[in-house]
Amino acid sequence: MTALLSFIHTCFMRSYRYGPPTFVFILGILFVYSVVPNPVMASYAFSTIFLFIVSAVISYTLIDIETVNQESVTLLHSGSLLKLYMSKLLYSWLFSIPLALYAILYPAIFHKFDRNPSLEELGMSFIYHITATWLGVALACWFSSKFIRSRVISFLMLSVLIVITLSVQGIKDQLPDALKSVIVLFPPLNSIINVMVDYESTSLFSKLWVAGASLLYGTMIAVLFLLMLHKRKLDSSH
Amino acid sequence: MNALLTLKEVSKKYGNRDVLTDVSLTINRGDCIMLRGNNGSGKSTMLRIVSGLIPISSGERLLQHSNLVIGYTPDRLSKLRMTSTEYLTHMGRISDIPKKNLNNRIRELHEFFSLEPSHTLNMTHFSKGMLQKTNLMQAMIKTPDILVLDEPFSGLDKESIAHLLNSLKKIKSQGTSILAAVHDPLLASQLESRTYWIKQGRIWMDNTQNFSDQSTVFFELEGLVEQETLERLSGLFSDVTWKTCDSGHLLFTIMQKDYRDFLLEFIHKGGEINNLTRKELKP
């Protein structure tokens, strides 16, 4: 899998497609922290949402980084479609980790907060950033051209899904009590954000649980995606 | 079982459309098989099924053993922003070839296909011939049992075709089986192969082919014709094949027996001739 990761890295770096989402994120964080002071965990909650969106865009771009012909060649050499797509998902996630570190360390090092964050806050914020990133990656892979041919439609659908994910709390409030449990099917990003906003008053179990739930949710939909691909192979590319 | 790969009554459907119906084919070691047929006849689908890239709707695909190495060259390799050496190194590493063997193999393949290994020239600047050589090199990075080629000569100049033909003859002599979709009957004959036709999703062997004892004349017509006429011509002349060129024109391959009637019908229906070439297959 290291060889696949290396090939995907070379293709992604030399395509320059990482440029727009990465630079928007870097400049966005610089802009947001241009005004000081800022509350620690609420600011990290914002950068978590921002990174969730950016990682979804990176995953959406990377999942179709190869042309149909090149993908056929890579698949035959690797011997497994699952291995190829697991590498793409893993690379999308790994690519976002330096961005998560930047979002955590830049404001902490350059004193952009109203106080110095504790080590626990730094550690937990990093975990929340990378779990939200995994959620973004796992959601966006479903909008591959394998499943939706039109890139315009797939991008619009992904945008709608991101908006829904960010509005889960609002949707929950509007739903009648009998249907409120349906909300468990939605991506649990809002649980992370709620915990970060009320960090001081949240129990340790809840702090860890929201991160675990997001990881589990992301893993489940990624596995489902891989199973669908395994069944179809490269059929949709015909 | 001596066959490397066997397709047994394989069918492939996309929705309600039958692309291939009850196709059976056996590939033995050292076989050279040419697939011919019009655009959209199902040649590429069949190659992708043989390579195991797409699932079949019904039938069976049997391999001699699970470690069978299949090299696949698509009709066009992507112009990636990397040199041929970098590209082949990536493909070799993905295939789990040890680093030392891989470097030697890449050097060997560059020599075999007479392609200068450059450390600066990216594939984005490659000619069609260079790209096709790289395409074949990636398919042979692990010596394949079966080499599957999708239109390997498409868009190449005469010199590149001659070189490629020579390379394929050498590959064949080394015991690798070749399955190729080709348009040009001349090229099909040069590789001492057996030819199969795919028409309307069904496959049958070309028994009329006898290039060895007499010369065969055929014509290539490049031109434009309306879709309705194209369908009529395809129905009337089942042995005439056509494909779309990069220029957007259609390239028809017409055997001598159909030449007169086809041309009359073509012109009568308002077809526009851009170029007409007579070709000969010599024994």
Side-chain angles (χ1 to χ4, degrees), chain A residues 2-4 6-8 10-11 14-16 66-79 83 231-238, chain B residues 12 14 17 45 48 51-55 70-72 74-78 80-83 86-87 90-91 93-96 122 138-139 141:
Chain A
T2 321
L4 276 169
S6 164
F7 177 62
I8 293 165
T10 309
C11 289
R14 296 189 189 178
S15 72
Y16 301 107
E66 294 176 289
T67 60
V68 172
N69 282 349
Q70 182 51 48
E71 190 173 61
S72 305
V73 168
T74 317
L75 166 59
L76 270 181
H77 285 298
S78 66
K83 219 162 105 179
K231 196 178 162 200
R232 296 168 60 140
K233 295 191 180 174
L234 296 184
D235 230 355
S236 59
S237 59
H238 183 81
Chain B
K12 179 67 188 172
Y14 284 109
R17 193 165 63 94
T45 302
R48 290 169 76 78
S51 305
L53 292 167
I54 53 174
I70 299 178
Y72 170 73
D75 54 351
R76 219 168 278 191
L77 194 65
S78 311
L80 297 173
R81 290 190 178 100
M82 54 182 91
T83 65
E86 277 181 301
Y87 177 65
H90 277 299
M91 292 303 117
R93 285 182 58 207
I94 291 170
S95 298
D96 286 333
N122 279 346
Q138 65 75 19
I141 197 86

Side-chain angles (χ1 to χ4, degrees), chain A residues 151-167:
Chain A
R151 296 302 276 166
V152 177
I153 291 174
S154 64
F155 191 76
L156 287 175
M157 287 174 75
L158 175 62
S159 306
V160 169
L161 182 68
I162 288 173
V163 171
I164 290 173
T165 306
L166 298 177
S167 322

Side-chain angles (χ1 to χ4, degrees), chain A residues 21-178:
Chain A
T22 307
F23 287 112
V24 164
F25 184 72
I26 290 170
L27 293 176
I29 292 290
L30 283 176
F31 177 75
V32 165
Y33 288 114
S34 60
V35 178
V36 286
N38 298 283
V40 177
M41 292 310 281
S43 303
Y44 280 150
F46 167 79
S47 58
T48 302
I49 293 172
F50 196 0
L51 192 56
F52 164 76
I53 298 168
V54 166
S55 65
V57 174
I58 286 169
S59 168
Y60 174 78
T61 311
L62 196 117
I63 209 81
D64 291 321
I65 190 81
E66 294 176 289
T67 60
V68 172
N69 282 349
Q70 182 51 48
E71 190 173 61
S72 305
V73 168
T74 317
L75 166 59
L76 270 181
H77 285 298
S78 66
S80 159
L81 190 63
L82 289 184
K83 219 162 105 179
L84 174 61
Y85 272 83
M86 272 163 66
S87 305
K88 286 185 180 181
L89 294 180
L90 185 61
Y91 181 81
S92 302
W93 193 34
L94 291 174
F95 186 86
S96 306
I97 289 177
L99 297 179
L101 280 172
Y102 162 72
I104 301 291
L105 296 177
Y106 168 73
I109 291 171
F110 291 95
H111 306 292
K112 302 292 183 184
F113 294 131
D114 50 8
R115 60 178 172 82
N116 281 332
S118 67
L119 268 179
E120 186 206 302
E121 283 171 330
L122 288 173
M124 287 307 291
S125 297
F126 178 66
I127 290 170
Y128 293 145
H129 275 79
I130 59 169
T131 48
T133 298
W134 176 237
L135 204 55
V137 167
L139 285 174
C141 69
W142 280 89
F143 298 88
S144 150
S145 59
K146 299 276 164 306
F147 297 143
I148 305 165
R149 280 197 189 179
S150 162
R151 296 302 276 166
V152 177
I153 291 174
S154 64
F155 191 76
L156 287 175
M157 287 174 75
L158 175 62
S159 306
V160 169
L161 182 68
I162 288 173
V163 171
I164 290 173
T165 306
L166 298 177
S167 322
V168 164
Q169 192 60 50
I171 294 169
K172 189 181 176 184
D173 294 343
Q174 297 293 315
L175 286 173
D177 286 345

Side-chain angles (χ1 to χ4, degrees), chain B residues 112-212:
Chain B
F112 185 81
F113 286 100
S114 306
L115 185 68
E116 192 68 31
S118 166
H119 293 293
T120 50
L121 189 65
N122 279 346
M123 286 160 69
T124 42
H125 299 112
F126 274 18
S127 66
K128 276 185 180 170
M130 292 163 80
L131 213 55
Q132 194 60 325
K133 282 177 182 176
T134 313
N135 196 1
L136 271 162
M137 283 153 77
Q138 65 75 19
M140 294 192 60
I141 197 86
K142 253 185 177 177
T143 308
D145 296 302
I146 302 174
L147 189 58
V148 178
L149 312 163
D150 196 352
E151 297 282 359
F153 306 106
S154 177
L156 299 186
D157 57 36
K158 277 184 182 171
E159 199 183 328
S160 304
I161 288 175
H163 188 269
L164 208 55
L165 265 173
N166 199 29
S167 306
L168 288 176
K169 280 178 189 169
K170 277 190 212 165
I171 293 166
K172 189 175 163 249
S173 69
Q174 289 164 1
T176 296
S177 308
I178 295 174
L179 173 67
V182 290
H183 182 76
D184 193 329
L186 177 64
L187 301 170
S189 72
Q190 303 259 321
L191 280 165
E192 293 171 23
S193 55
R194 62 178 201 267
T195 300
Y196 286 87
W197 285 82
I198 298 188
K199 282 176 186 169
Q200 291 170 337
R202 292 185 182 272
I203 189 169
W204 68 82
M205 198 172 172
D206 187 352
N207 293 317
T208 60
Q209 203 181 21
N210 189 3
F211 295 115
S212 57

